[in-house]
Amino acid sequence: MNSTVYPTKHASPQGIFAVGNTRFKWYNLAKDLENINQSEIDKAKICIENASENFHDKDDLGFVIMHRCGENYLLLVCTWRSENELWESVYFDGSGDFEVWDRNKIHLPTYCVWEMGIVYHESKAWKTFLGTERTDNNKQDYLQDFFEGEV
């Protein structure tokens, strides 16, 4: 059996990205964070702003992972809906622009080992939020609770 040695990657919080009333915590994820270029981030933000999910008309909280995978990017757009469920849209930049990654299959990939570090932190932060009165101050506490480090 061949085994692949996986490098360490780094998660870096990039602040809050707002689309209408929806607020996302933005994370960059890469082996070398300096390889995530601003023009790709700009394309990713335009993709989310124009997404068919229409985040403009929702009052959601969630997070985005801009994951540099070799020469390409995966864009994971996650929101907390139904209070305890994490909803996700995945985009891929294979054509030069971000487009929906068609995952219409029965059994499909979710998060890779590197993304799981961020998702684990976000799960704990959201569970903490659910234990509050969910005031605007509690929302701000959630939005300021970022993960940063090696994954």
Side-chain angles (χ1 to χ4, degrees):
M1 179 171 140
N2 293 336
S3 60
T4 302
V5 176
Y6 285 91
T8 296
K9 290 193 178 185
H10 304 275
S12 176
Q14 300 297 304
I16 305 302
F17 175 60
V19 179
N21 290 329
T22 298
R23 303 286 179 267
F24 296 103
K25 297 194 251 182
W26 191 282
Y27 290 96
N28 286 346
L29 176 64
K31 182 178 173 188
D32 298 305
L33 289 167
E34 60 274 1
N35 289 336
I36 296 181
N37 64 58
Q38 189 60 47
S39 66
E40 294 300 323
I41 292 170
D42 293 342
K43 286 181 189 178
K45 288 181 176 181
I46 290 168
C47 171
I48 297 167
E49 289 169 343
N50 295 316
S52 61
E53 291 88 352
N54 196 8
F55 295 112
H56 291 276
D57 294 338
K58 307 240 183 332
D59 191 13
D60 279 341
L61 296 173
F63 58 96
V64 170
I65 302 174
M66 176 83 167
H67 186 174
R68 178 79 186 242
C69 305
E71 296 301 313
N72 296 98
Y73 294 90
L74 283 176
L75 179 65
L76 294 84
V77 182
C78 305
T79 59
W80 296 103
R81 293 211 180 137
S82 303
E83 296 185 355
N84 64 332
E85 295 176 353
L86 183 61
W87 290 49
E88 177 192 43
S89 298
V90 179
Y91 301 87
F92 178 71
D93 75 333
S95 68
D97 287 316
F98 285 92
E99 56 194 47
V100 173
W101 181 20
D102 183 11
R103 302 181 309 155
N104 190 14
K105 298 174 185 167
I106 293 173
H107 196 68
L108 55 118
T110 56
Y111 301 102
C112 74
V113 294
W114 299 291
E115 296 156 355
M116 288 297 294
I118 296 169
V119 173
Y120 178 67
H121 172 86
E122 288 299 320
S123 175
K124 290 190 315 182
W126 188 252
K127 186 176 177 190
T128 298
F129 172 74
L130 290 178
T132 69
E133 295 178 16
R134 302 181 203 167
T135 65
D136 286 341
N137 286 340
N138 300 130
K139 286 181 183 180
Q140 287 305 311
D141 289 344
Y142 166 75
L143 288 170
Q144 298 306 312
D145 185 0
F146 281 96
F147 173 80
E148 182 172 15
E150 289 186 355
V151 286

